[in-house]
Amino acid sequence: MTTTTIAPSRRRLPVWGTVLAAALVVELMVFSLTNTHFFGGGAGMLSQIELFLPTGIVALGLAPVILTGAIDLSVGATASLSSVLVGVLILHHVNPVLAIGIALAVSTIIGLVNGLIITLFGIDSLLVTLATQFIASSLAVSVAGDNPPFGFPDMFLALGEGTVGPVPIALLIFLVIAALVMLLIGRTGFGRRIVLIGYNPSAARFTGVRVMRTFVGVFTMSGLVAGIAGIVLAAYFNAGRSDSGMSLLLPAITCVVLGGVDIFGGRGRIGEVVLAVLVLGYLTQGLLNSGVSSLTATMVTGLLLIVALVVKIAFERRSGESFLGTLRRRFAARTGGSPGVGRGAKGGSEKAAAEPRDPAHS
Amino acid sequence: MERPRPVPVSADADTTARTYSARNVSKAFSGVPVLEGIDLAFRPGEIHTLVGENGAGKSTLLKIMSGVYSADSGSLELEGEALGPLSPATAQRRGIYLVPQEPRLMPDLSIAENLYLGSLPRGRFGFTVNWKMINNSAGDVLSRVGLSVDPRSLAGRLPLAHQQLLECARALAHGCTIIFFDEPTSPLTSHEAETLFSVMDDLRRQQMTLGFISHRFDEVEELSDRISVMRDGAVVAHHLRGESDRASIINAMVGRELTMAKRKTRPERSGAPILDVRHVVSKPEVEDISIQVRAGEIVGLGGLVGSGRTELSEAVFGLRPSSAGVVTVDGVDVTGRAPQDCIDAGLIYLGEDRGRNGIFADVDLTRNASASVIGRLPRKGRLIRKRQEETMTQGALQNAGVKAANMGLPIKSLSGGNQQKVLLARWMMAQPKVAIFDEPTRGVDVGAKEGIYEMIESLTDDGLATLVISSELDELVRLCDRVYAVYEGRVVGELRGDAITSDAVGQLAVGAA
């Protein structure tokens, strides 16, 4: 047997992450120069993003789900339920720590139920979480009752508004979760399985990956993280509003996609999602602070997302390929559906074709 | 664009008798060449049959000629006129139709609707569907393929054989005169197949241009006017009706330019079987199969595609349910256990479809190779030590003879043979006691095959119990100490040592002995 040496992999700077980091720096500089209020001596800048952090936290729970090639639409509603639940419990004089524990437990159970329904019945995650979204949000409305809870003790409010030195506690929570998710995806077996399933669920199954178990885990985690976002929301608004979480869903998906995670699963880095959260958060807040209406800010966000995704394609160009050529290649690959298109847990149980089969037509 | 006029049904395609040819057609799937420079002409009034081993490229060629795939290079010519890019719809408009192996009908639409799907005849103003015309002419077309059923009943209610005839009728309803049949008989009983053959015979008499793929030699010889043998993506022999004898066709199918190395004789093993499969049933493909593999021997499973070999392996490896039977690996009962449990017990399965079920195409070599042992990777606390993981997989890949520039490359950038070696390395990292290799050299170029054989042999010499599934007869002859022949979900014979010849295995595989 011939033995040839294979060189170790070369460490390369993540291109998209660099672009996002550069965009963030430029953005912060522009807003700081044009708007003195924005910079606020550095500390002000850190607190600018508070309003956006619950979205960022949801995005961190959602990213692993999307990495598997699935989607969780129930995260916003789960966050709502969690924020209402924690508020009602606190106002009923339950110990805040216990109240948080209960809210997180309920959120986790919603995620677990999502995962179980998706895997046991083999239903597409999009449909299952669309349904559980309605259930969770209506639960939130009914728990909130006619008078949604507000006016919490300071100790609890600190989660949303407090600071440690100059750093907002909410930002710390976000960064801690980010670090944990980053390690989880990059360095644990669970994370490795998530990524492999995202790239090719069928091959993952044939390689011994416990696909269903991984799906359940990923959805459970998504529920838990959405619950944490809900608690930060309640603390920030000093109220548990049953509608507060719903507005988190689409921006959170936006962050994940802007962070370079392939919506069909597999490819993506949590670090880049974190950067995308910061880019998008500061952009929204910076625009609002500069006196732009929230309508315009939202529109700019949409435009930016499209520009970013197109620019990202340009970076994926193969050597010697024209920009249009890249588009055509991607389109050809996409219209047929990549192996990762199989959302949810319907791993390839189909018998393999006898003749070589082009994935684009199977 | 001209608005389509209400047309008499079956006039929407070219209906004259025509010769249809492929000129220098090549095609590769994810870098693996499947067709290389095919030149082939289908003539009117003839049934032209393609035979060849699995993966020879027969289906791919017909799919290209009917617009399902597009060729990477080369052209398609209709009566000498080059056709532009072809989709199934444009192919149909040019009168070309592919009857697939499994009928693809809309089960909840009526038979008539299925017939005219895609070009329903319109009423006078072009907005409404002319149902009267459809239902009337449907009866005519159906009778041409010998179907006497109510055109208004649901297509899904038809038995499979009739659905196949309905597919054929669809081609006629659209006025197609060039019709390809991609292994139409494999889901049919021999009696049902006879009906299809008489329809094909009729069409031939009407000067239609017919292409046919089959693995059953009896029907090939009975029907064909012309037989082309394909091997490794090329046409290697032509035979005309009457001048073909079975032996020379088989020879052309399995022969290799490179003569294979001779089988290494190993001492006969007598210990307790490491893999013991008893009476496993997994319907519909696996009826009842028992096999034993001992340490240090290579056992083959020969048979046709669809004979149940792959399905048996998938049932053994926990990828599909089995309704009866017991599987033990070195004494440990793994019946009905998940793949991961089988791996932990010492059983691994290298699947036949590398692109779909094997490689993670966009993932680097390291993570591709370590995918089977994620739970056993070196860790610090709960975190994988990536540097050590890479060193570990690097060793395994080098042992398997993988040629690659560096570990960070996506596996799809490697050749088919190197991809397969990465997968072998992946499974050897799991340190198995039993390995099932399903078509281990499919899509591997001839040069790399011998390397894979040698690797399988050396692993077996080190005590691995090896089961090889192959549709290439000479691969079984090259490797195996023992061969089980599987036919229609049952073991129909067992050969040992020098009794293993292409002829002997081939005879058993078609249920002839």
Side-chain angles (χ1 to χ4, degrees), chain A residues 3-362:
Chain A
T3 309
T4 50
T5 40
I6 308 172
S9 62
R10 274 168 295 182
R11 297 203 173 276
R12 271 176 303 180
L13 203 59
V15 180
W16 187 241
T18 315
V19 172
L20 286 173
L24 181 62
V25 169
V26 169
E27 187 180 285
L28 291 178
M29 275 168 47
V30 168
F31 282 129
S32 300
L33 291 176
T34 57
N35 184 346
T36 46
H37 177 69
F38 182 85
F39 185 61
M45 200 159 78
L46 285 175
S47 62
Q48 289 288 328
I49 200 171
E50 270 181 1
L51 179 59
F52 199 72
L53 286 176
T55 305
I57 294 173
V58 168
L60 290 173
L62 198 55
V65 176
I66 295 183
L67 276 174
T68 64
I71 187 77
D72 186 348
L73 297 181
S74 71
V75 283
T78 305
S80 295
L81 179 59
S82 159
S83 88
V84 170
L85 208 53
V86 80
V88 168
L89 287 171
I90 287 177
L91 291 189
H92 281 78
H93 308 293
V94 176
N95 178 322
V97 176
L98 182 61
I100 291 174
I102 293 173
L104 292 185
V106 170
S107 310
T108 309
I109 288 170
I110 292 176
L112 177 68
V113 169
N114 277 335
L116 289 175
I117 295 175
I118 289 164
T119 50
L120 294 182
F121 297 102
I123 307 174
D124 196 296
S125 59
L126 186 94
L127 302 176
V128 172
T129 57
L130 182 69
T132 50
Q133 170 207 220
F134 289 121
I135 297 170
S137 62
S138 53
L139 273 177
V141 173
S142 69
V143 170
D146 295 335
N147 298 306
F150 71 96
F152 305 134
D154 288 347
M155 180 190 125
F156 179 75
L157 294 181
L159 290 177
E161 301 173 324
T163 57
V164 177
V167 187
I169 291 177
L171 184 59
L172 285 177
I173 295 177
F174 170 76
L175 292 176
V176 167
I177 298 174
L180 289 177
V181 176
M182 214 183 297
L183 283 177
L184 182 96
I185 296 299
R187 298 283 302 278
T188 68
F190 180 54
R192 180 66 60 83
R193 294 184 185 101
I194 288 172
V195 171
L196 291 182
I197 289 172
Y199 274 112
N200 186 345
S202 178
R205 196 169 151 265
F206 270 73
T207 314
V209 171
R210 298 187 200 272
V211 177
M212 285 164 76
R213 211 174 279 188
T214 309
F215 266 111
V216 173
V218 118
F219 277 93
T220 308
M221 201 174 73
S222 167
L224 169 65
V225 175
I228 297 174
I231 285 161
V232 174
L233 262 184
Y236 181 82
F237 285 119
N238 192 10
R241 281 161 40 190
S242 58
D243 62 341
S244 56
M246 291 309 285
S247 60
L248 302 184
L249 174 64
L250 292 178
I253 296 177
T254 309
C255 288
V256 176
V257 176
L258 183 66
V261 175
D262 190 333
I263 196 77
F264 297 101
R267 201 181 303 272
R269 295 168 199 263
I270 301 302
E272 293 175 1
V273 174
V274 172
L275 282 171
V277 167
L278 298 177
V279 168
L280 209 59
Y282 278 115
L283 180 75
T284 319
Q285 212 50 39
L287 286 174
L288 291 177
N289 274 349
S290 312
V292 173
S293 77
S294 74
L295 273 180
T296 318
T298 309
M299 197 192 298
V300 169
T301 307
L303 287 173
L304 179 94
L305 181 64
I306 291 174
V307 170
L309 294 178
V310 173
V311 169
K312 187 161 171 283
I313 293 175
F315 280 108
E316 286 170 7
R317 228 154 63 172
R318 290 181 187 166
S319 57
E321 193 175 47
S322 73
F323 181 66
L324 274 176
T326 315
L327 283 180
R328 242 177 271 125
R329 174 170 57 78
R330 287 178 56 98
F331 185 71
R334 211 35 113 207
T335 46
S338 65
V341 174
R343 274 217 179 85
K346 40 186 186 219
S349 54
E350 324 87 327
K351 193 209 157 287
E355 296 273 343
R357 195 194 275 197
D358 186 343
H361 294 282
S362 51

Side-chain angles (χ1 to χ4, degrees), chain A residues 1 4-10 186-187 192 199-200 202 205-208 210 351 354-355 358 361-362, chain B residues 29 58 68-69 311 319 340-341 356-357 359 363 384 386 389-390 394 398-399 405-408 426:
Chain A
M1 216 159 290
T4 50
T5 40
I6 308 172
S9 62
R10 274 168 295 182
R187 298 283 302 278
R192 180 66 60 83
Y199 274 112
N200 186 345
S202 178
R205 196 169 151 265
F206 270 73
T207 314
R210 298 187 200 272
K351 193 209 157 287
E355 296 273 343
D358 186 343
H361 294 282
S362 51
Chain B
F29 287 125
K58 310 175 297 285
V68 179
Y69 297 158
E311 291 77 7
L319 288 164
Q340 183 65 61
D341 298 322
R356 176 183 293 247
N357 300 327
I359 63 169
V363 178
I384 296 169
K386 287 193 156 184
E389 177 193 7
E390 186 170 282
Q394 190 182 16
Q398 286 172 0
N399 281 338
N406 76 71
M407 302 287 293
R426 170 196 288 174

Side-chain angles (χ1 to χ4, degrees), chain B residues 274-286:
Chain B
I274 302 289
L275 175 66
D276 195 352
V277 175
R278 291 199 183 270
H279 301 294
V280 165
V281 180
S282 182
K283 300 266 181 177
E285 290 90 352
V286 182

